[in-house]
Amino acid sequence: MIALYPGSFDPVTLGHKDIIQRASNIFDKVIVAVAVNYKKQTLFTNEERVKLLQESVREFKNVEISQFEGLSVEYARKCKARVLIRGLRAISDFEAELSMASINKELDNELDTVFLMTAKQYAFLSSSAVKEIARMEGSLDSMVDPHVAKALKERFAKG
Ligand code: ADP
């Protein structure tokens, strides 16, 4: 069975990677797709987010990285994915994720959203926290892969 894991991944964190790894153990193929959303300001371009993801998941053989525009359900149909993967952290994720999953179910009854609980060490890890820490020049070692830390450091380098 094919699963689609859509998200902003701006940038990919170890929390995302943990979800990807666990999904790759459950499903035959996992497509991780960067959502192109012109309304959302991102630090990294679509191509950069794809590249950072590609490097992070190189070790997982049944994982593919792509990007898409528009509705996740439409893209899932195109990829022949029967499942959408989402990660759940604190209770605060629950409300938004529940409403999104309900809307997606309404749009495509054949598609189900599967939630994987965050690993406890990543429960408070988010791309926005990582960007904030990078801006303040803090250590990102336990939060992102080294190539992501490097990309963040370069993005916030002074001068
Ligand atoms: P979006 O803009 O779609 O929320 P994100 O890149 O922020 O994109 O997140 C994509 C998915 O990964 C979401 O389901 C989010 O809840 C999940 N996620 C993000 N960070 C973590 C984490 N630390 N642990 C588990 N899941 C996470």
Side-chain angles (χ1 to χ4, degrees), residues 3-23:
L4 175 69
Y5 181 26
S8 306
F9 306 106
D10 185 41
V12 57
T13 68
L14 294 182
H16 294 128
K17 190 175 171 180
D18 174 62
I19 298 288
I20 295 168
Q21 176 167 29
R22 284 155 56 205

Side-chain angles (χ1 to χ4, degrees), residues 14 17-18 20-21 24-25 53-63 65 145-147:
L14 294 182
K17 190 175 171 180
D18 174 62
I20 295 168
Q21 176 167 29
S24 81
N25 288 331
L53 268 164
Q54 271 166 345
E55 205 161 330
S56 280
V57 307
R58 200 174 284 158
E59 64 203 274
F60 311 136
K61 295 300 164 224
N62 59 342
V63 176
I65 309 298
D145 274 331
H147 68 280

